[in-house]
Amino acid sequence: MVQAPVKTQEITLMLASPRGFCAGVDRAIQIVEQALSKYGPPVYVRHEIVHNRYVVEDLERKGAIFVEELDEIPDDAKVIFSAHGVPKSVPEAAEDRGLFYLDATCPLVSKVHVEAGRHFAQGSEIVLIGHAGHPEVVGTMGQLPEGAVTLIETVADAEAFEPRDPAKLAFITQTTLSVDDTAAIVAVLQRRFPEIAAPHKEDICYATTNRQAAVKSMAPKVEAMLVIGAPNSSNSMRLVEVAERAGCRVSMLVQRASDIDWQALQGISAVGITAGASAPEVLVEEVIDAFRAHYDVRLETVPVVQENVSFKLPRALMS
């Protein structure tokens, strides 16, 4: 068994600001909670409402039932679509069955869906920069007929891509990507296809951009970075990568305080702590408490930008 550090050792914990919940995640969770309050349990949710087991399990205790497909839901049930967005075929199938549904898709993801539809209507071939299999990518590609969107994951993909007509080409992106990786891919596409249409406003969401900027700001001041989040959370995994590239010799993802590798932190005097956009602040507090049980802790907040974004709930929940 690994010995924990002696508690008399001092350590500085630098807390990223902003961190944790973004407006889209907060809205999605509110939609489930308000639906449970208004309609009573159970309320079904297609896919994890956000990628965080603590959040999902908390909602399950309140009466939410999480499923992967609509055929797991009874005919008289109420269903919510996750914050990541769904292919058009999903609400169509719900309507065919007469299911009552609420769409918790993040408005910034919906913006990308609208962009894709606009480019398609104009006859453009669409490139989506993103990660294969991620629910957001599945949902975005599912807005249009099969073959209308080409997925590009890497710079190599961008170099190899051959469009039908370079003069009728547009790109969109997943909202939770690495800002730097995406910029490198976009640079290749724009070099190869100077006429490619870009989003009117960057698709990578404000929360992803801000959390990555906060990690970059903290990285030179710390020896290790702890990112609180889930392994299936794209924005959380990107924060781990950003910290590594910014020079943190230890960069680890933890879902809960129990995941902390204390041995990897031996001899380290300054640790950065951040949280992915779907990780609640209670988990940050849990990690801080765990450090206090092992170290003499000094807390410091590293503010980068103040966020004041909020999104309205669906009308059905407002009445």
Side-chain angles (χ1 to χ4, degrees):
M1 184 175 177
V2 176
Q3 285 290 319
V6 179
K7 190 175 179 180
T8 53
Q9 183 180 342
E10 293 185 358
I11 197 165
T12 298
L13 299 183
M14 294 191 175
L15 305 181
S17 177
R19 62 180 179 272
F21 278 0
C22 63
V25 164
D26 189 53
R27 173 180 179 269
I29 294 168
Q30 282 190 62
I31 288 173
V32 179
E33 291 177 336
Q34 293 279 349
L36 285 166
S37 175
K38 182 169 183 174
Y39 305 116
V43 167
Y44 288 78
V45 184
R46 185 188 178 277
H47 192 68
E48 289 186 343
I49 188 68
V50 296
H51 284 157
N52 188 278
R53 285 308 306 167
Y54 181 94
V55 171
V56 168
E57 289 168 5
D58 182 57
L59 293 173
E60 284 176 333
R61 284 190 289 270
K62 295 174 180 177
I65 298 175
F66 290 85
V67 299
E68 286 303 310
E69 299 299 339
L70 292 185
D71 58 15
E72 302 172 59
I73 300 172
D75 288 338
D76 59 348
K78 292 173 174 59
V79 61
I80 297 170
F81 303 145
S82 80
H84 312 97
V86 295
K88 274 189 174 179
S89 58
V90 173
E92 287 170 357
E95 287 168 7
D96 287 345
R97 286 184 54 193
L99 291 174
F100 174 85
Y101 67 85
L102 294 166
D103 189 353
T105 300
C106 173
L108 299 180
V109 174
S110 296
K111 177 185 82 74
V112 178
H113 293 178
V114 170
E115 284 178 351
R118 176 171 53 81
H119 290 309
F120 183 72
Q122 293 170 347
S124 295
E125 183 177 0
I126 301 162
V127 168
L128 169 60
I129 302 170
H131 297 298
H134 189 277
E136 183 184 330
V137 166
V138 172
T140 299
M141 295 184 75
Q143 299 304 302
L144 299 174
E146 192 170 345
V149 182
T150 299
L151 181 65
I152 286 183
E153 297 188 81
T154 64
V155 165
D157 290 345
E159 292 284 10
F161 173 63
E162 293 297 338
R164 293 188 297 270
D165 181 355
K168 282 194 160 188
L169 191 60
F171 77 85
I172 55 177
T173 82
Q174 185 179 332
T175 64
T176 54
L177 299 177
S178 159
V179 173
D180 295 336
D181 286 350
T182 305
I185 293 171
V186 169
V188 171
L189 291 172
Q190 291 178 329
R191 170 177 54 80
R192 295 189 64 215
F193 314 111
E195 295 180 66
I196 191 169
H200 290 310
K201 187 178 180 183
E202 188 173 292
D203 287 341
I204 296 177
C205 81
Y206 77 94
T208 297
T209 301
N210 290 347
R211 279 149 191 72
Q212 289 179 24
V215 165
K216 288 177 184 177
S217 174
M218 284 198 305
K221 306 171 186 175
V222 300
E223 300 151 273
M225 188 76 67
L226 263 61
V227 178
I228 301 166
N232 61 338
S233 165
S234 175
N235 75 85
S236 297
M237 294 304 295
R238 301 297 78 77
L239 290 174
V240 175
E241 295 168 0
V242 167
E244 288 171 347
R245 293 174 185 175
C248 288
R249 65 183 177 89
V250 176
S251 180
M252 68 175 80
L253 182 80
V254 296
Q255 296 193 72
R256 302 292 300 267
S258 56
D259 297 330
I260 298 172
D261 182 351
W262 297 108
Q263 187 175 32
L265 299 177
Q266 297 242 10
I268 285 176
S269 61
V271 176
I273 295 178
T274 188
S278 49
E281 185 65 13
V282 65
L283 298 185
V284 176
E285 293 167 1
E286 180 184 278
V287 165
I288 293 170
D289 287 343
F291 271 94
R292 283 183 169 137
H294 294 86
Y295 293 90
D296 180 9
V297 170
R298 185 173 77 88
L299 282 181
E300 181 180 328
T301 298
V302 182
V304 172
V305 65
Q306 188 170 354
E307 293 178 347
N308 54 8
V309 179
S310 62
F311 298 127
K312 292 181 180 178
L313 298 181
R315 286 182 184 174
L317 294 176
M318 303 297 284
S319 57

